Amino acid sequence: MRGNKSYNGGGIGSSNRIMDFLEEPIPGVGTYDDFNTIDWVREKSRDRDRHREITNKSKESTWALIHSVSDAFSGWLLMLLIGLLSGSLAGLIDISAHWMTDLKEGICTGGFWFNHEHCCWNSEHVTFEDRDKCPEWNSWSQLIISTDQGAFAYIVNYFMYVLWALLFAFLAVSLVKAFAPYACGSGIPEIKTILSGFIIRGYLGKWTLVIKTITLVLAVSSGLSLGKEGPLVHVACCCGNILCHCFNKYRKNEAKRREVLSAAAAAGVSVAFGAPIGGVLFSLEEVSYYFPLKTLWRSFFAALVAAFTLRSINPFGNSRLVLFYVEFHTPWHLFELVPFIVLGIFGGLWGALFIRTNIAWCRKRKTTQLGKYPVVEVLIVTAITAILAFPNEYTRMSTSELISELFNDCGLLDSSKLCDYENHFNTSKGGELPDRPAGVGVYSAMWQLALTLILKIVITIFTFGMKIPSGLFIPSMAVGAIAGRLLGVGMEQLAYYHHDWGIFNSWCSQGADCITPGLYAMVGAAACLGGVTRMTVSLVVIMFELTGGLEYIVPLMAAAMTSKWVADALGREGIYDAHIRLNGYPFLEAKEEFAHKTLAMDVMKPRRNDPLLTVLTQDSMTVEDVETIISETTYSGFPVVVSRESQRLVGFVLRRDLIISIENARKKQDGVVSTSIIYFTEHSPPMPPYTPPTLKLRNILDLSPFTVTDLTPMEIVVDIFRKLGLRQCLVTHNGRLLGIITKKDVLKHIAQMANQDPESILFN
């Protein structure tokens, strides 16, 4: 802080005048510092004033009317642009990741830019049974030692697979570390915090967008146990934030910008899962803090445009928005709710276990030397993942392909090991295949899937939270889908060999198609994702949009609710809330109840034996006095009172606005010196001659700060902070100012009441 400045002319003899230089808006007044909370009430009030002014002017001229119409339309135009940009980037990420994932295993000699599938599509020498094998696609051993057979060829392919994985992971972590540290992780905990009114500058900036897009492709292609779905929400929010700068209405108002970011989050989920309605519900249920009806419609529009754009790009070449779209035709039976609920219990247990172990590991990373070597950590985890993944075909394939395989309902033409049943059936019944005994391939696949399940459960704990973009949706779904498929095949074989049991004979006759293992995989995936994120409504909608399985809503709902109940019984927080708390972000969770009987006076500052509250008086302090207070304290604002004796409240002024206004006055207003008196009043008294000009700062004063009395219960104060999005609240007694409660004080108090470390709340 600058202290006193030299007297810069204007002369003591200059005419006595009060210069209210704030009639012209000062650049910077009304904006916020980094790592500060916005004032929702002030932002909304400013937007209402702006809107009122535009509406009044629209009656005066045609040009003003056009301006009014364009202002109303700008929100929809912004949603259109966000949808187009998010959909395009998602398509680019999908295509690039597909190609680079296949690059670990080989290359297309017909054109290196083709992935394995496209390479063999274009081939004329491919049969339906061996559709994955074509002369144009060469594995690395074929290119290097001209053969694909034998132990040495296997070692060459193994080595190249690990090498490519390490290269992709190294590039990803290096780019994040060098250019955009904010591009790591899934981004959803930070976006939840930003949407609650916190400011993290650069988190949604252009560098973060560019680096996150590139490194997301690299991270997914490296074969690590992570997904691209969470980071796609971050990418879409970056698009929304950058495009906001093209529109004055959103650039200058932080609350309006957060409405746009809520819609962008919906567009992100829409392109991640091909689920536009699920995206809107995800934004409403999981990430948004303030979600008016207008934002619901705009989110719906943005999600629609994003999904339409991705469908036009057609990244998977199957006219679907996701890799694991599937259609089942067999109805489910009421008895099957029992195994579905068992899957829900498994999902809840896995979710609670994952959150505990992952948070413990992330805390260890933050508090030990481990956190200083992000590149080494990523390379070690990648090397372990790649070395363990290559021998097993289910861990070697990309996680999205694995989920696709697990969701798949075996048909006549399927060549997968999971569909290697002994064919004791006739095909006269049409497309549906009866339950039949498992063959050697199915038993082999079961063992491999059991090993895959163990690897995914363990390695995901160490992968999520590293310094690379990493989503959690796909690994969680993979864990659940494997468990579900194993249970589904078990149920299918039970029904085949024991169809005369009481639980089966009423609905499953011999030779009928009773059990669909792919459906169990789908229900398991929903259960595990619900256990980790604690989503319910949006999760069920995303799952049936993903799979087109409308008749399976009840099994999905049963599994999602069971997993949430089980996980909540073992720990109240979902993974995103746990990471918010771990990082110390000032996020007031709207779902939690505050049940303690404390009062405002127990939480406010100053406490009984503390120094008195730092205040400004309305008409007796000089510029020097105010600058001294600013330099000696770190508070983000100061109450203004009539006088120190009366302590009667006038208003509240923000530190940033004070600093900017005083600096601006020194530059632009003649005669303002350290001895100039600052007035926060409407009118100032006549001054004797030869005194320096006064400085009038009433325009930066908030004349309606929120106040509560000292005996207000804290549960009401917490509710006020949550529902109005306050930064601070002043405490009075019989009209006299007693103290102040900030959002940070509320969060510390809640942490203290929950027997947590109150000092873990890091930011203002």
Side-chain angles (χ1 to χ4, degrees):
M1 253 325 294
R2 282 199 291 262
N4 299 356
K5 295 184 187 175
S6 60
Y7 177 50
N8 56 4
I12 287 181
S14 64
S15 63
N16 171 36
R17 61 199 183 283
I18 295 175
M19 295 199 63
D20 189 358
F21 69 99
L22 279 161
E23 283 163 8
E24 290 295 315
I26 302 170
V29 165
T31 59
Y32 301 94
D33 284 324
D34 202 4
F35 296 123
N36 267 268
T37 307
I38 70 165
D39 189 332
W40 284 90
V41 178
R42 181 166 83 158
E43 295 296 305
K44 285 181 208 163
S45 163
R46 280 164 57 179
D47 185 61
R48 278 195 297 271
D49 293 345
R50 187 197 63 80
H51 189 259
R52 206 176 291 123
E53 189 183 345
I54 288 173
T55 309
N56 293 340
K57 280 185 179 174
S58 67
K59 297 163 188 167
E60 294 170 11
S61 70
T62 315
W63 178 248
L65 181 65
I66 293 167
H67 179 241
S68 170
V69 171
S70 72
D71 181 74
F73 179 67
S74 62
W76 295 101
L77 178 61
L78 182 54
M79 293 305 128
L80 178 72
L81 295 173
I82 289 169
L84 289 169
L85 188 55
S86 306
S88 306
L89 285 173
L92 177 73
I93 288 167
D94 283 340
I95 292 166
S96 310
H98 209 159
W99 173 68
M100 285 171 69
T101 301
D102 287 348
L103 193 62
K104 298 205 299 287
E105 296 184 30
I107 198 161
C108 186
T109 49
F112 73 90
W113 55 89
F114 288 122
N115 62 33
H116 192 163
E117 195 177 0
H118 287 134
C119 187
C120 291
W121 270 357
N122 297 337
S123 174
E124 293 168 8
H125 313 283
V126 67
T127 61
F128 187 79
E129 286 74 26
D130 289 333
R131 53 189 176 277
D132 285 341
K133 296 189 177 107
C134 58
E136 286 84 355
W137 180 262
N138 286 327
S139 68
W140 290 110
S141 62
Q142 283 173 301
L143 284 171
I144 296 166
I145 58 170
S146 306
T147 177
D148 209 15
Q149 305 301 316
F152 188 55
Y154 181 83
I155 290 166
V156 169
N157 284 332
Y158 202 151
F159 176 74
M160 290 304 290
Y161 180 91
V162 174
L163 192 69
W164 278 112
L166 287 169
L167 177 66
F168 292 155
F170 176 72
L171 283 172
V173 70
S174 304
L175 286 169
V176 166
K177 194 177 172 204
F179 297 105
Y182 283 151
C184 66
S186 83
I188 292 178
E190 286 76 10
I191 284 163
K192 275 187 83 162
T193 311
I194 288 169
L195 288 177
S196 77
F198 194 55
I199 288 180
I200 309 178
R201 298 235 183 272
Y203 198 83
L204 301 173
K206 53 185 180 295
W207 269 111
T208 307
L209 174 63
V210 172
I211 298 300
K212 186 112 184 182
T213 306
I214 296 167
T215 53
L216 181 53
V217 173
L218 290 163
V220 170
S221 309
S222 68
L224 283 163
S225 182
L226 48 83
K228 61 182 185 309
E229 282 60 24
L232 274 173
V233 175
H234 187 184
V235 165
C237 285
C238 287
C239 296
N241 185 56
I242 291 162
L243 289 166
C244 274
H245 288 282
C246 306
F247 299 86
N248 253 347
K249 175 176 168 181
Y250 296 103
R251 186 175 72 238
K252 293 183 175 175
N253 193 297
E254 293 288 350
K256 294 293 287 179
R257 192 183 304 187
R258 273 150 184 76
E259 290 178 27
V260 173
L261 295 179
S262 290
V269 175
S270 171
V271 291
F273 290 109
I277 299 169
V280 175
L281 290 172
F282 173 81
S283 181
L284 175 60
E285 181 183 2
E286 192 59 29
V287 293
S288 292
Y289 195 81
Y290 171 66
F291 203 86
L293 200 57
K294 181 172 59 179
T295 305
L296 181 75
W297 301 329
R298 288 186 175 168
S299 302
F300 186 75
F301 180 61
L304 163 78
V305 175
F308 174 76
T309 308
L310 187 61
R311 170 69 182 76
S312 308
I313 294 169
N314 195 9
F316 303 111
N318 60 0
S319 301
R320 301 291 180 201
L321 298 179
V322 277
L323 200 55
F324 34 88
Y325 187 89
V326 67
E327 290 183 60
F328 305 128
H329 303 290
T330 318
W332 59 279
H333 192 268
L334 199 61
F335 164 73
E336 289 184 279
L337 276 179
V338 176
F340 293 152
I341 287 169
V342 168
L343 284 172
I345 293 168
F346 171 78
L349 292 171
W350 141 250
L353 168 81
F354 175 81
I355 292 166
R356 289 214 174 159
T357 47
N358 178 254
I359 291 296
W361 178 251
C362 289
R363 185 170 285 118
K364 190 176 177 65
R365 184 188 289 125
K366 280 174 87 83
T367 54
T368 60
Q369 293 292 315
L370 183 67
K372 293 181 181 173
Y373 305 104
V375 179
V376 177
E377 185 194 5
V378 168
L379 289 178
I380 289 170
V381 173
T382 308
I384 292 168
T385 307
I387 289 164
L388 295 176
F390 186 82
N392 183 339
E393 65 177 287
Y394 293 112
T395 45
R396 187 164 67 232
M397 64 173 67
S398 80
T399 317
S400 295
E401 282 176 48
L402 171 63
I403 294 170
S404 176
E405 186 114 330
L406 294 166
F407 281 8
N408 187 31
D409 191 15
C410 288
L412 272 171
L413 302 171
D414 276 310
S415 57
S416 159
K417 276 197 335 194
L418 279 171
C419 296
D420 181 21
Y421 289 90
E422 293 175 14
N423 294 331
H424 299 170
F425 60 93
N426 61 45
T427 55
S428 60
K429 297 177 71 174
E432 290 187 3
L433 295 179
D435 289 347
R436 50 209 197 278
V440 181
V442 174
Y443 287 115
S444 159
M446 291 299 101
W447 276 110
Q448 285 180 294
L449 282 175
L451 292 170
T452 305
L453 180 64
I454 294 164
L455 176 66
K456 290 278 178 201
I457 283 175
V458 174
I459 208 76
T460 309
I461 291 166
F462 300 100
T463 307
F464 187 69
M466 292 197 305
K467 294 295 176 198
I468 48 170
S470 53
L472 193 57
F473 284 29
I474 290 290
S476 306
M477 285 172 70
V479 167
I482 295 167
R485 187 77 189 207
L486 293 171
L487 182 63
V489 172
M491 286 292 294
E492 183 187 44
Q493 295 307 298
L494 201 63
Y496 177 78
Y497 287 111
H498 304 283
H499 56 84
D500 52 347
W501 283 10
I503 54 172
F504 293 123
N505 63 11
S506 60
W507 58 282
C508 185
S509 58
Q510 188 168 13
D513 179 18
C514 310
I515 306 276
T516 310
L519 170 61
Y520 284 72
M522 183 172 118
V523 171
C528 280
L529 187 50
V532 171
T533 61
R534 310 296 159 86
M535 289 153 51
T536 49
V537 184
S538 52
L539 171 66
V540 171
V541 174
I542 286 170
M543 288 307 293
F544 81 69
E545 280 190 274
L546 261 184
T547 52
L550 273 169
E551 67 242 59
Y552 303 115
I553 287 183
V554 173
L556 287 169
M557 288 171 78
M561 270 326 303
T562 309
S563 78
K564 180 173 168 57
W565 286 334
V566 171
D568 278 350
L570 297 170
R572 294 290 299 162
E573 293 177 317
I575 187 69
Y576 301 129
D577 295 331
H579 272 271
I580 285 171
R581 194 159 59 78
L582 177 72
N583 291 325
Y585 297 134
F587 181 74
L588 257 179
E589 179 55 76
K591 299 167 197 158
E592 294 290 321
E593 289 295 318
F594 183 84
H596 305 282
K597 290 190 167 182
T598 47
L599 301 174
M601 62 194 292
D602 303 327
V603 180
M604 71 175 195
K605 300 280 176 66
R607 298 284 167 82
R608 279 204 175 85
N609 299 323
D610 289 354
L612 288 173
L613 184 66
T614 306
V615 295
L616 307 179
T617 55
Q618 66 174 2
D619 56 7
S620 60
M621 294 185 78
T622 63
V623 170
E624 183 179 10
D625 296 337
V626 172
E627 285 184 331
T628 304
I629 286 175
I630 289 170
S631 62
E632 287 176 356
T633 61
T634 55
Y635 307 128
S636 56
F638 304 95
V640 177
V641 294
V642 173
S643 66
R644 290 189 195 280
E645 295 75 38
S646 75
Q647 288 288 314
R648 273 180 40 233
L649 186 64
V650 176
F652 191 84
V653 65
L654 291 176
R655 173 198 191 88
R656 181 180 169 86
D657 291 355
L658 261 182
I659 293 170
I660 291 170
S661 303
I662 291 172
E663 282 186 359
N664 196 68
R666 283 191 183 277
K667 284 179 197 160
K668 297 198 175 162
Q669 185 180 338
D670 288 344
V672 169
V673 287
S674 298
T675 51
S676 299
I677 292 177
I678 292 178
Y679 280 96
F680 291 102
T681 51
E682 188 77 53
H683 306 290
S684 50
M687 303 293 288
Y690 306 112
T691 53
T694 56
L695 184 58
K696 196 170 169 191
L697 296 183
R698 189 175 178 84
N699 282 26
I700 63 167
L701 184 66
D702 177 6
L703 291 165
S704 52
F706 268 84
T707 56
V708 294
T709 66
D710 52 341
L711 297 176
T712 307
M714 266 313 286
E715 57 189 317
I716 293 176
V717 175
V718 171
D719 252 5
I720 291 172
F721 270 89
R722 273 186 194 138
K723 288 173 181 166
L724 293 174
L726 297 186
R727 291 180 68 166
Q728 70 279 316
C729 175
L730 300 172
V731 183
T732 60
H733 176 73
N734 294 343
R736 292 182 77 239
L737 180 67
L738 272 193
I740 185 170
I741 299 174
T742 64
K743 189 173 182 179
K744 193 172 176 179
D745 295 330
V746 172
L747 287 159
K748 282 187 171 181
H749 183 65
I750 291 172
Q752 216 166 357
M753 290 289 133
N755 296 321
Q756 294 160 359
D757 176 18
E759 294 310 313
S760 64
I761 312 297
L762 302 178
F763 299 118
N764 297 323

